[in-house]
mmCIF file of all heavy atoms in Angstrom:
data_model
loop_
_atom_site.group_PDB
_atom_site.id
_atom_site.type_symbol
_atom_site.label_atom_id
_atom_site.label_comp_id
_atom_site.label_asym_id
_atom_site.label_seq_id
_atom_site.Cartn_x
_atom_site.Cartn_y
_atom_site.Cartn_z
ATOM 1 N N VAL A 1 3.377 -10.650 -4.724
ATOM 2 C CA VAL A 1 3.231 -9.692 -3.634
ATOM 3 C C VAL A 1 4.227 -10.088 -2.549
ATOM 4 O O VAL A 1 4.431 -11.277 -2.298
ATOM 5 C CB VAL A 1 1.776 -9.652 -3.122
ATOM 6 C CG1 VAL A 1 1.348 -10.989 -2.566
ATOM 7 C CG2 VAL A 1 1.585 -8.563 -2.110
ATOM 8 N N THR A 2 4.883 -9.101 -1.969
ATOM 9 C CA THR A 2 5.871 -9.366 -0.938
ATOM 10 C C THR A 2 5.521 -8.616 0.334
ATOM 11 O O THR A 2 4.821 -7.591 0.291
ATOM 12 C CB THR A 2 7.283 -8.971 -1.398
ATOM 13 O OG1 THR A 2 7.291 -7.569 -1.694
ATOM 14 C CG2 THR A 2 7.715 -9.744 -2.609
ATOM 15 N N LEU A 3 6.022 -9.138 1.437
ATOM 16 C CA LEU A 3 5.831 -8.507 2.728
ATOM 17 C C LEU A 3 7.204 -8.365 3.367
ATOM 18 O O LEU A 3 7.809 -9.366 3.765
ATOM 19 C CB LEU A 3 4.910 -9.338 3.612
ATOM 20 C CG LEU A 3 4.563 -8.728 4.960
ATOM 21 C CD1 LEU A 3 3.679 -7.495 4.774
ATOM 22 C CD2 LEU A 3 3.858 -9.741 5.865
ATOM 23 N N ALA A 4 7.693 -7.144 3.421
ATOM 24 C CA ALA A 4 8.971 -6.867 4.050
ATOM 25 C C ALA A 4 8.734 -6.568 5.518
ATOM 26 O O ALA A 4 7.971 -5.653 5.846
ATOM 27 C CB ALA A 4 9.652 -5.693 3.359
ATOM 28 N N MET A 5 9.382 -7.343 6.374
ATOM 29 C CA MET A 5 9.147 -7.240 7.812
ATOM 30 C C MET A 5 10.442 -6.820 8.497
ATOM 31 O O MET A 5 11.489 -7.437 8.281
ATOM 32 C CB MET A 5 8.658 -8.583 8.356
ATOM 33 C CG MET A 5 7.443 -9.126 7.611
ATOM 34 S SD MET A 5 6.795 -10.648 8.329
ATOM 35 C CE MET A 5 8.144 -11.769 8.004
ATOM 36 N N HIS A 6 10.360 -5.784 9.307
ATOM 37 C CA HIS A 6 11.533 -5.253 9.997
ATOM 38 C C HIS A 6 11.282 -5.224 11.503
ATOM 39 O O HIS A 6 10.125 -5.253 11.949
ATOM 40 C CB HIS A 6 11.850 -3.850 9.488
ATOM 41 C CG HIS A 6 12.062 -3.783 8.005
ATOM 42 N ND1 HIS A 6 13.200 -4.252 7.395
ATOM 43 C CD2 HIS A 6 11.244 -3.321 7.010
ATOM 44 C CE1 HIS A 6 13.101 -4.061 6.079
ATOM 45 N NE2 HIS A 6 11.928 -3.508 5.821
ATOM 46 N N SER A 7 12.371 -5.127 12.253
ATOM 47 C CA SER A 7 12.277 -5.044 13.719
ATOM 48 C C SER A 7 11.359 -6.121 14.259
ATOM 49 O O SER A 7 10.449 -5.843 15.061
ATOM 50 C CB SER A 7 11.782 -3.659 14.129
ATOM 51 O OG SER A 7 12.649 -2.650 13.641
ATOM 52 N N LEU A 8 11.594 -7.332 13.845
ATOM 53 C CA LEU A 8 10.713 -8.433 14.214
ATOM 54 C C LEU A 8 10.745 -8.686 15.711
ATOM 55 O O LEU A 8 11.784 -8.537 16.378
ATOM 56 C CB LEU A 8 11.083 -9.688 13.439
ATOM 57 C CG LEU A 8 10.595 -9.681 11.981
ATOM 58 C CD1 LEU A 8 11.349 -10.702 11.159
ATOM 59 C CD2 LEU A 8 9.105 -9.935 11.918
ATOM 60 N N LYS A 9 9.575 -9.067 16.224
ATOM 61 C CA LYS A 9 9.407 -9.346 17.644
ATOM 62 C C LYS A 9 8.938 -10.783 17.813
ATOM 63 O O LYS A 9 8.403 -11.391 16.881
ATOM 64 C CB LYS A 9 8.352 -8.404 18.231
ATOM 65 C CG LYS A 9 8.569 -6.936 17.965
ATOM 66 C CD LYS A 9 7.376 -6.128 18.461
ATOM 67 C CE LYS A 9 7.517 -4.664 18.151
ATOM 68 N NZ LYS A 9 6.347 -3.878 18.603
ATOM 69 N N ALA A 10 9.079 -11.286 19.021
ATOM 70 C CA ALA A 10 8.601 -12.641 19.297
ATOM 71 C C ALA A 10 7.103 -12.769 19.003
ATOM 72 O O ALA A 10 6.635 -13.814 18.542
ATOM 73 C CB ALA A 10 8.899 -13.008 20.746
ATOM 74 N N ASP A 11 6.358 -11.692 19.223
ATOM 75 C CA ASP A 11 4.909 -11.704 18.966
ATOM 76 C C ASP A 11 4.560 -11.822 17.485
ATOM 77 O O ASP A 11 3.407 -12.056 17.144
ATOM 78 C CB ASP A 11 4.255 -10.430 19.510
ATOM 79 C CG ASP A 11 4.166 -10.436 21.023
ATOM 80 O OD1 ASP A 11 4.395 -11.509 21.621
ATOM 81 O OD2 ASP A 11 3.882 -9.375 21.600
ATOM 82 N N ASP A 12 5.552 -11.645 16.615
ATOM 83 C CA ASP A 12 5.305 -11.797 15.177
ATOM 84 C C ASP A 12 5.374 -13.255 14.741
ATOM 85 O O ASP A 12 5.099 -13.568 13.582
ATOM 86 C CB ASP A 12 6.328 -10.985 14.374
ATOM 87 C CG ASP A 12 6.196 -9.494 14.599
ATOM 88 O OD1 ASP A 12 5.047 -8.996 14.656
ATOM 89 O OD2 ASP A 12 7.240 -8.822 14.726
ATOM 90 N N THR A 13 5.743 -14.130 15.661
ATOM 91 C CA THR A 13 5.810 -15.550 15.345
ATOM 92 C C THR A 13 4.433 -16.075 14.955
ATOM 93 O O THR A 13 3.467 -15.923 15.706
ATOM 94 C CB THR A 13 6.347 -16.350 16.549
ATOM 95 O OG1 THR A 13 7.694 -15.960 16.794
ATOM 96 C CG2 THR A 13 6.287 -17.841 16.301
ATOM 97 N N ALA A 14 4.345 -16.661 13.767
ATOM 98 C CA ALA A 14 3.064 -17.148 13.257
ATOM 99 C C ALA A 14 3.276 -17.803 11.901
ATOM 100 O O ALA A 14 4.349 -17.678 11.303
ATOM 101 C CB ALA A 14 2.076 -15.987 13.100
ATOM 102 N N VAL A 15 2.244 -18.456 11.430
ATOM 103 C CA VAL A 15 2.191 -18.870 10.028
ATOM 104 C C VAL A 15 1.589 -17.708 9.248
ATOM 105 O O VAL A 15 0.520 -17.208 9.621
ATOM 106 C CB VAL A 15 1.356 -20.146 9.833
ATOM 107 C CG1 VAL A 15 1.283 -20.514 8.354
ATOM 108 C CG2 VAL A 15 1.943 -21.290 10.644
ATOM 109 N N TYR A 16 2.264 -17.283 8.204
ATOM 110 C CA TYR A 16 1.824 -16.147 7.405
ATOM 111 C C TYR A 16 1.199 -16.646 6.108
ATOM 112 O O TYR A 16 1.785 -17.469 5.398
ATOM 113 C CB TYR A 16 3.004 -15.222 7.108
ATOM 114 C CG TYR A 16 3.373 -14.378 8.294
ATOM 115 C CD1 TYR A 16 3.991 -14.937 9.410
ATOM 116 C CD2 TYR A 16 3.072 -13.019 8.326
ATOM 117 C CE1 TYR A 16 4.309 -14.184 10.518
ATOM 118 C CE2 TYR A 16 3.392 -12.235 9.434
ATOM 119 C CZ TYR A 16 4.011 -12.823 10.524
ATOM 120 O OH TYR A 16 4.314 -12.070 11.626
ATOM 121 N N TYR A 17 0.004 -16.104 5.810
ATOM 122 C CA TYR A 17 -0.769 -16.523 4.659
ATOM 123 C C TYR A 17 -0.975 -15.370 3.688
ATOM 124 O O TYR A 17 -1.281 -14.244 4.094
ATOM 125 C CB TYR A 17 -2.146 -17.029 5.090
ATOM 126 C CG TYR A 17 -2.129 -18.246 5.960
ATOM 127 C CD1 TYR A 17 -2.079 -18.142 7.339
ATOM 128 C CD2 TYR A 17 -2.173 -19.512 5.394
ATOM 129 C CE1 TYR A 17 -2.061 -19.265 8.150
ATOM 130 C CE2 TYR A 17 -2.163 -20.659 6.196
ATOM 131 C CZ TYR A 17 -2.105 -20.514 7.563
ATOM 132 O OH TYR A 17 -2.098 -21.641 8.362
ATOM 133 N N CYS A 18 -0.855 -15.677 2.432
ATOM 134 C CA CYS A 18 -1.182 -14.752 1.356
ATOM 135 C C CYS A 18 -2.624 -15.027 0.926
ATOM 136 O O CYS A 18 -3.069 -16.185 0.922
ATOM 137 C CB CYS A 18 -0.226 -15.020 0.204
ATOM 138 S SG CYS A 18 -0.502 -14.062 -1.281
ATOM 139 N N ALA A 19 -3.357 -13.972 0.571
ATOM 140 C CA ALA A 19 -4.750 -14.135 0.178
ATOM 141 C C ALA A 19 -5.095 -13.212 -0.978
ATOM 142 O O ALA A 19 -4.484 -12.139 -1.119
ATOM 143 C CB ALA A 19 -5.664 -13.840 1.372
ATOM 144 N N ALA A 20 -6.065 -13.636 -1.783
ATOM 145 C CA ALA A 20 -6.470 -12.856 -2.958
ATOM 146 C C ALA A 20 -7.985 -12.709 -2.994
ATOM 147 O O ALA A 20 -8.723 -13.645 -2.680
ATOM 148 C CB ALA A 20 -5.986 -13.543 -4.229
ATOM 149 N N HIS A 21 -8.428 -11.530 -3.397
ATOM 150 C CA HIS A 21 -9.855 -11.231 -3.510
ATOM 151 C C HIS A 21 -10.120 -10.557 -4.840
ATOM 152 O O HIS A 21 -9.591 -9.471 -5.111
ATOM 153 C CB HIS A 21 -10.296 -10.330 -2.364
ATOM 154 C CG HIS A 21 -11.669 -9.772 -2.543
ATOM 155 N ND1 HIS A 21 -12.780 -10.555 -2.737
ATOM 156 C CD2 HIS A 21 -12.120 -8.483 -2.563
ATOM 157 C CE1 HIS A 21 -13.852 -9.796 -2.877
ATOM 158 N NE2 HIS A 21 -13.475 -8.535 -2.768
ATOM 159 N N ARG A 22 -10.940 -11.175 -5.670
ATOM 160 C CA ARG A 22 -11.303 -10.578 -6.953
ATOM 161 C C ARG A 22 -12.312 -9.463 -6.715
ATOM 162 O O ARG A 22 -13.326 -9.651 -6.037
ATOM 163 C CB ARG A 22 -11.901 -11.622 -7.887
ATOM 164 C CG ARG A 22 -12.218 -11.069 -9.271
ATOM 165 C CD ARG A 22 -12.848 -12.131 -10.151
ATOM 166 N NE ARG A 22 -13.310 -11.539 -11.409
ATOM 167 C CZ ARG A 22 -12.602 -11.508 -12.524
ATOM 168 N NH1 ARG A 22 -11.392 -12.055 -12.539
ATOM 169 N NH2 ARG A 22 -13.090 -10.965 -13.620
ATOM 170 N N THR A 23 -12.026 -8.294 -7.271
ATOM 171 C CA THR A 23 -12.891 -7.152 -7.051
ATOM 172 C C THR A 23 -12.877 -6.245 -8.270
ATOM 173 O O THR A 23 -11.870 -6.145 -8.969
ATOM 174 C CB THR A 23 -12.448 -6.365 -5.811
ATOM 175 O OG1 THR A 23 -13.257 -5.190 -5.676
ATOM 176 C CG2 THR A 23 -10.997 -5.938 -5.913
ATOM 177 N N LYS A 24 -13.983 -5.563 -8.476
ATOM 178 C CA LYS A 24 -14.052 -4.595 -9.572
ATOM 179 C C LYS A 24 -13.487 -3.243 -9.160
ATOM 180 O O LYS A 24 -13.246 -2.381 -10.009
ATOM 181 C CB LYS A 24 -15.493 -4.446 -10.043
ATOM 182 C CG LYS A 24 -16.431 -3.858 -9.008
ATOM 183 C CD LYS A 24 -17.845 -3.744 -9.552
ATOM 184 C CE LYS A 24 -18.795 -3.159 -8.515
ATOM 185 N NZ LYS A 24 -20.177 -3.032 -9.029
ATOM 186 N N PHE A 25 -13.278 -3.065 -7.878
ATOM 187 C CA PHE A 25 -12.807 -1.786 -7.354
ATOM 188 C C PHE A 25 -11.292 -1.732 -7.361
ATOM 189 O O PHE A 25 -10.624 -2.597 -6.805
ATOM 190 C CB PHE A 25 -13.335 -1.565 -5.933
ATOM 191 C CG PHE A 25 -14.826 -1.584 -5.842
ATOM 192 C CD1 PHE A 25 -15.495 -2.626 -5.227
ATOM 193 C CD2 PHE A 25 -15.579 -0.543 -6.395
ATOM 194 C CE1 PHE A 25 -16.879 -2.652 -5.156
ATOM 195 C CE2 PHE A 25 -16.963 -0.559 -6.323
ATOM 196 C CZ PHE A 25 -17.609 -1.612 -5.716
#
């Protein structure tokens, strides 16, 4: 999974985490 980020701002500064949830839906 990828996250394409554009027009980045100073407020976007952070540690970015990927997460997964097993679901039947």
Side-chain angles (χ1 to χ4, degrees):
V1 62
T2 60
L3 184 68
M5 306 184 294
H6 303 286
S7 302
L8 283 162
K9 308 174 183 179
D11 287 348
D12 295 319
T13 295
V15 178
Y16 283 72
Y17 297 90
C18 176
H21 169 56
R22 184 182 172 94
T23 176
K24 65 180 180 180
F25 302 110

